[in-house]
Amino acid sequence: MARTALLASLIQRPRRMRRTGALRTLVREARVDPSRFVAPLFVRTGRGVREPIASLPGQMRFSPDELVREAGRLRDLGIPAVLLFGVPDRKDPEAREAYAEDGIVQSAIRLLKRSAPSLAVMTDVCLCAYTDHGHCGVVRGDEIDNDATLELLARTAVSHASAGADVVAPSAMMDGQVGAIRAALDDAGLPDAAIMAYAAKYASGFYGPFRDASGSTPQFGDRRSYQMDPPNVREALREIALDVEQGADIVMVKPALSYLDVIRAARETTALPLAAYWVSGEYAMVKAAVAQGWLDERRAVMEILSAIRRAGADIVITYAAADVAQWLREERA
Ligand code: PBG
């Protein structure tokens, strides 16, 4: 009798709103939606080339003509933006290809802007894929020269924005890079080019597949003297504050999955749009487990993307962008 009375008075039943798909949709707090995605794309020279990247299953290095086709597909799937990474033919100590007028990224931007003008074009601004030593800046002895690097990053950003990039995204983790780029863009008469700052970018072990994809593995040492130390979160807030002061339009936390607490902390301290990058190694882990039959790809990917959105990211940079957009379309059909 006492037990029945207890059950009868169980007024709070959270399961009520989990009963059907429609009810769950209605009360869902964090939504995964392709309109929040940025798709990373690798561009290389050639024609008609789609070169699979072994360590990033499903991702390709595209020649510019194929890049245009892929970008059109992404746009048609409702993805508003792409983030371009160049895979240059030539490398040298000064990263000349990074800021060459007719460099691979600059040419790709012009093509994209002509063929898919409604797509936002973002570009990674860094030197590591263009230097023969593979570091993100100018090397002096065995150090990376911060201030000498700023000039090259600024030149690279201006060359991208002149070619038509909507957003440049400095990822070298040099002090003052956002301010240097903002000043250079303004001087070049490009006040409308926006900056997405890789503000809190950690020295992560999860960039391995990306470095393989873009040929940007450092030939000596590592990136720990410029990228952030993984255990730090207050330092991330300092980095974000500095980038906001220097004129960032979007701030980013990277990687995303291993740094959800950093995304949350960033969300609570800035009113700017916040991006999070679910990086190559974090993505490849899922793909590898799926290939073994150990994980269900859709469930794992949707759960991770939900977590990144729930942590507070507005924008999610993800290699799964096209797949997820396709799945959601199939579910609606
Ligand atoms: C360039 C850059 C890297 C990534 C984005 N921009 C590599 C690095 O810093 O070593 C990593 C992206 C990913 O792993 O998906 N500096």
Side-chain angles (χ1 to χ4, degrees), residues 78-301:
I79 294 160
V82 295
L83 177 59
L84 298 184
F85 294 94
V87 186
D89 285 338
R90 286 175 298 143
K91 297 176 191 267
D92 60 59
E94 285 85 40
R96 288 179 212 282
E97 275 287 297
Y99 40 87
E101 175 80 32
D102 59 350
I104 183 67
V105 168
Q106 291 79 357
S107 313
I109 297 166
R110 289 193 196 94
L111 268 180
L112 282 179
K113 277 294 157 189
R114 243 180 284 144
S115 61
S118 65
L119 200 63
V121 174
M122 302 178 145
T123 58
D124 188 78
V125 174
C126 196
L127 306 183
C128 58
Y130 304 88
T131 51
D132 50 8
H133 47 69
H135 276 289
C136 302
V138 175
V139 171
R140 295 249 191 275
D142 47 12
E143 306 260 308
I144 313 304
D145 184 332
N146 191 88
D147 299 7
T149 303
L150 292 182
E151 200 185 310
L152 300 187
L153 292 174
R155 219 190 279 181
T156 304
V158 167
S159 76
H160 291 176
S162 309
D166 300 288
V167 181
V168 292
S171 70
M173 286 303 277
M174 294 298 127
D175 292 337
Q177 61 184 10
V178 171
I181 288 173
R182 184 69 270 158
L185 290 170
D186 292 351
D187 281 352
L190 298 161
D192 294 331
I195 300 176
M196 174 165 74
Y198 282 75
K201 176 174 177 182
Y202 288 85
S204 171
F206 291 110
Y207 304 150
F210 171 95
R211 291 179 186 173
D212 185 30
S214 68
S216 61
T217 308
Q219 298 305 300
F220 66 90
D222 54 44
R223 305 211 200 290
R224 282 184 288 187
S225 77
Y226 42 104
Q227 298 180 346
M228 284 182 56
D229 198 23
N232 297 355
V233 61
R234 294 194 307 270
E235 189 186 353
L237 302 182
R238 179 171 182 229
E239 285 281 5
I240 289 168
L242 289 171
D243 284 357
V244 171
E245 252 170 52
Q246 290 170 40
D249 299 284
I250 300 172
V251 290
M252 191 203 299
V253 171
K254 173 186 175 193
L257 179 56
S258 321
Y259 296 82
L260 293 171
D261 59 320
V262 181
I263 298 175
R264 168 51 49 196
R267 173 71 299 155
E268 282 163 10
T269 51
T270 179
L272 282 189
L274 177 63
Y277 197 147
W278 182 26
V279 301
S280 59
E282 296 175 326
Y283 179 69
M285 285 196 300
V286 173
K287 284 298 227 186
V290 168
Q292 293 286 329
W294 295 338
L295 286 178
D296 177 290
E297 182 169 13
R298 292 193 189 195
R299 291 196 59 181
V301 166

